[in-house]
Amino acid sequence: VDILLHYIRKTFDEESKILDFHHPHQLLEGLDGFNLELSDQPEPLEQLLVDCRDTLKYGVKTGHPRFFNQLSSGLDMIGLAGEWLTATANTNMFTYEISPVFIVMEMILLKKMHEMIGWGETEADGIFSPGGSISNLYSILVARYKKFPEIKTKGMAVLPQIVLLVSEHSHYSIRKIAAVLGIGTDNVIEVKCDERGKMIPLELEENILRSKKMGLTPFCVSATAGTTVYGAFDPLNNIADVCERHNLWMHVDAAWGGGLLMSKKHSYKLHGIERANSVTWNPHKLMGVPLQCSVVLIREKGLLESCNQMCAEYLFQPDKHYDVGYDTGDKTIQCGRHVDIFKLWLMWKAKGTSGFEVQINTFMELADYLYKILKKKENFELVFDGEPELTNVCFWYIPPRLKSISNEYERQQELQKIAPKIKALMIEEGTTMVSYQPHGDKVNFFRMVFSNPATKQSDVDFLIDEIERLGRAL
């Protein structure tokens, strides 16, 4: 406990390093009494305590106010307490029999989230899953079962060649899901986006009509509410219109942007989500719940269970002494399921819906603050014009010497190297962390995101100064 509390204090200390970086070979070789190799004989308690301390020492402080590297960051104390209690309880979510309180908590939270989406609380269903990719998998799995229920018993051989449609800015998990479910990545149609990263509804409809003419069978459209890189929101109402015209399942991947439903000021960006057949929402992102906490929400009650049910007699006996409708295990593709619900429930109790709203509005204000500073800065350039829709702010740092390069191709080739080099220097010095990537025809740029409640405007100022300090001589 002393080791953990010391680490937490250091995490929130802005002057502490985010990480003490070592290369993999250094960790494998061992560091100052920290040896990862396993021994045949038990080691003393003192060594185990040193190992606990060093495991934290050489890791990354993802709760540090200057950690901006992932969509999930921050260290919420109430959520952490919830995680400790969950580990202490050490139970499983497949039956009410062994997890009565957690099962009812999940039911209550699912109803609350259905209500926030705009669905009636009695008509919908859902399940907490091990991350947004698996939540997306559930949605595609159920969408396919809804259109082709025979898939469950007969397999892919009895189906026509099915295709699903996604935005070209969608999360890579959709393609991975197509591979896992036997649909095939070649049968994922990527729909063009506008310059802001939003799916173009006209392009969607044209792709549907074209695929039908080719003898293919579209069955699902996956829209995105908060893309990973640009933070863009697809036009959900327009996409819903297209899906209704062609009788297609509409999924909304709101893993990142779903948290805006908590904000009266920003929830309008998800208008149309209530028309979706399924939604992915990750409270471990914008809402700041400790990893992992993801949910898939299905508008039609009973589909999850009929799609996945196997009626294992040693778990789901129908003659139990309580209402077996509370046994959730047959809705899932897992058997064992971790308790991800309590930390979210406890945080909601502690903050209230209004507390989450204040937190999320603050993130949006920080993104706007960064955006306005970068617009005025001489050595920075925004990847696209326009205010942030979510907390993503994408930009290049332009070292002074690049301004003298007149050949655009040569300039782009040099610019491609800048963000990776600055990121490497950041990690080596352990001062801050921010993500970078290329995207489409755009060379490497920084993608700043805000989801850490500890971050203040002074931390944003620090990041800009640090990028300039590290990049000036490049």
Side-chain angles (χ1 to χ4, degrees):
V1 171
D2 288 343
I3 289 168
L4 294 176
L5 293 177
H6 174 74
Y7 175 80
I8 290 165
R9 282 192 292 270
K10 294 288 283 184
T11 290
F12 291 113
D13 177 5
E14 288 180 345
E15 300 308 312
S16 71
K17 292 174 70 172
I18 286 183
L19 78 160
D20 182 1
F21 179 77
H22 289 78
H23 289 279
H25 71 87
Q26 294 173 299
L27 287 176
L28 289 167
E29 289 163 6
L31 299 165
D32 299 326
F34 183 42
N35 185 354
L36 298 181
E37 292 300 322
L38 297 172
S39 52
D40 292 330
Q41 299 303 317
E43 297 194 4
L45 174 61
E46 290 76 12
Q47 181 60 48
L48 299 184
L49 290 172
V50 168
D51 290 343
C52 287
R53 185 196 67 205
D54 287 351
T55 296
L56 292 171
K57 177 183 176 182
Y58 296 117
V60 178
K61 297 187 184 79
T62 59
H64 194 287
R66 293 169 182 171
F67 177 83
F68 311 112
N69 210 65
Q70 255 63 51
L71 303 183
S72 51
S73 66
L75 184 60
D76 185 277
M77 291 294 97
I78 302 294
L80 179 59
E83 193 71 85
W84 286 352
L85 186 145
T86 296
T88 304
N90 191 31
T91 192
N92 203 314
M93 286 290 283
F94 43 49
T95 63
Y96 180 86
E97 182 177 336
I98 63 163
S99 198
V101 182
F102 296 134
I103 291 281
V104 174
M105 283 177 178
E106 184 175 55
M107 180 193 75
I108 288 168
L109 266 163
L110 287 169
K111 283 184 177 180
K112 186 72 172 174
M113 296 171 99
H114 295 153
E115 178 187 308
M116 300 194 85
I117 285 172
W119 297 340
E121 65 173 37
T122 56
E123 67 187 29
D125 205 348
I127 204 82
F128 278 73
S129 84
S133 294
I134 302 300
S135 291
N136 283 340
L137 186 147
Y138 272 109
S139 71
I140 305 300
L141 180 70
V142 172
R144 185 178 65 178
Y145 174 79
K146 172 69 175 175
K147 194 167 184 72
F148 305 104
E150 64 272 25
I151 183 72
K152 183 174 177 179
T153 52
K154 305 295 184 187
M156 288 291 286
V158 298
L159 266 57
Q161 188 173 349
I162 59 175
V163 294
L164 63 105
L165 298 100
V166 298
S167 135
E168 61 182 350
H169 285 234
S170 67
H171 193 261
Y172 76 95
S173 63
I174 304 297
R175 296 158 197 75
K176 184 173 281 193
I177 289 160
V180 168
L181 294 182
I183 296 167
T185 55
D186 286 352
N187 294 314
V188 178
I189 298 171
E190 293 189 2
V191 179
K192 286 181 184 174
C193 294
D194 62 20
E195 68 284 349
R196 186 59 188 81
K198 298 170 179 286
M199 186 193 291
I200 303 170
L202 184 61
E203 291 280 346
L204 171 64
E205 187 137 43
E206 286 177 358
N207 272 286
I208 291 167
L209 293 170
R210 192 180 307 121
S211 65
K212 286 179 176 180
K213 282 182 182 175
M214 294 169 62
L216 305 174
T217 304
F219 75 101
C220 176
V221 175
S222 180
T224 311
T227 57
T228 306
V229 180
Y230 284 3
F233 289 81
D234 287 340
L236 301 181
N237 265 320
N238 293 352
I239 291 169
D241 290 341
V242 175
C243 288
E244 285 176 9
R245 277 198 294 275
H246 295 276
N247 192 28
L248 302 180
W249 182 282
M250 178 181 170
H251 174 61
V252 177
D253 179 359
W256 178 216
L260 289 194
L261 290 169
M262 310 292 289
S263 167
K264 297 183 188 75
K265 184 176 180 181
H266 296 285
S267 60
Y268 73 91
K269 295 168 187 175
L270 292 103
H271 280 176
I273 195 170
E274 70 281 356
R275 299 173 68 188
N277 300 98
S278 58
V279 173
T280 289
W281 182 353
N282 284 6
H284 70 229
K285 290 181 176 164
L286 208 57
M287 291 170 69
V289 179
L291 285 161
Q292 61 192 17
C293 190
S294 174
V295 63
V296 60
L297 304 160
I298 308 289
R299 192 169 68 182
E300 184 179 333
K301 200 168 185 67
L303 264 182
L304 258 179
E305 189 156 27
S306 59
C307 177
N308 296 313
Q309 187 176 51
M310 290 294 161
C311 302
E313 291 178 347
Y314 56 86
L315 278 179
F316 310 118
Q317 305 93 337
D319 52 358
K320 292 179 179 179
H321 73 290
Y322 59 83
D323 180 355
V324 295
Y326 285 87
D327 287 353
T328 59
D330 243 4
K331 293 179 184 179
T332 72
I333 54 177
Q334 307 163 247
C335 179
R337 188 160 66 94
H338 187 259
V339 178
D340 293 329
I341 194 69
F342 181 71
K343 55 199 169 187
L344 172 57
W345 179 88
L346 197 66
M347 284 175 65
W348 212 311
K349 279 274 192 176
K351 294 174 187 286
T353 308
S354 61
F356 278 119
E357 180 175 21
V358 169
Q359 178 176 302
I360 287 163
N361 287 348
T362 301
F363 295 152
M364 296 299 293
E365 288 160 12
L366 285 169
D368 188 60
Y369 176 75
L370 174 61
Y371 165 77
K372 285 175 177 170
I373 287 177
L374 293 177
K375 284 204 76 157
K376 298 173 186 173
K377 279 275 188 181
E378 187 180 350
N379 291 324
F380 289 85
E381 184 181 321
L382 290 159
V383 172
F384 52 83
D385 202 20
E387 295 178 357
E389 275 197 301
L390 197 42
T391 76
N392 308 51
V393 181
C394 300
F395 62 93
W396 289 284
Y397 171 72
I398 317 288
R401 74 169 182 87
L402 260 64
K403 295 179 181 177
S404 63
I405 301 175
S406 56
N407 183 295
E408 184 58 25
Y409 175 78
E410 185 184 340
R411 182 178 180 273
Q412 291 296 308
Q413 291 299 106
E414 289 298 302
L415 187 56
Q416 169 82 356
K417 304 170 189 174
I418 300 299
K421 182 63 178 172
I422 292 175
K423 174 72 176 281
L425 293 170
M426 279 179 184
I427 289 177
E428 291 286 351
E429 296 192 20
T431 53
T432 185
M433 285 181 74
V434 62
S435 180
Y436 75 86
Q437 68 282 301
H439 201 61
D441 60 351
K442 294 177 171 60
V443 299
N444 282 323
F445 55 85
F446 289 110
R447 180 208 61 177
M448 180 69 169
V449 288
F450 295 94
S451 60
N452 186 343
T455 300
K456 303 185 293 293
Q457 285 189 3
S458 59
D459 300 307
V460 179
D461 296 335
F462 176 87
L463 175 77
I464 295 169
D465 292 344
E466 190 70 349
I467 289 174
E468 287 190 301
R469 180 181 75 84
L470 297 171
R472 197 171 290 121
L474 295 180

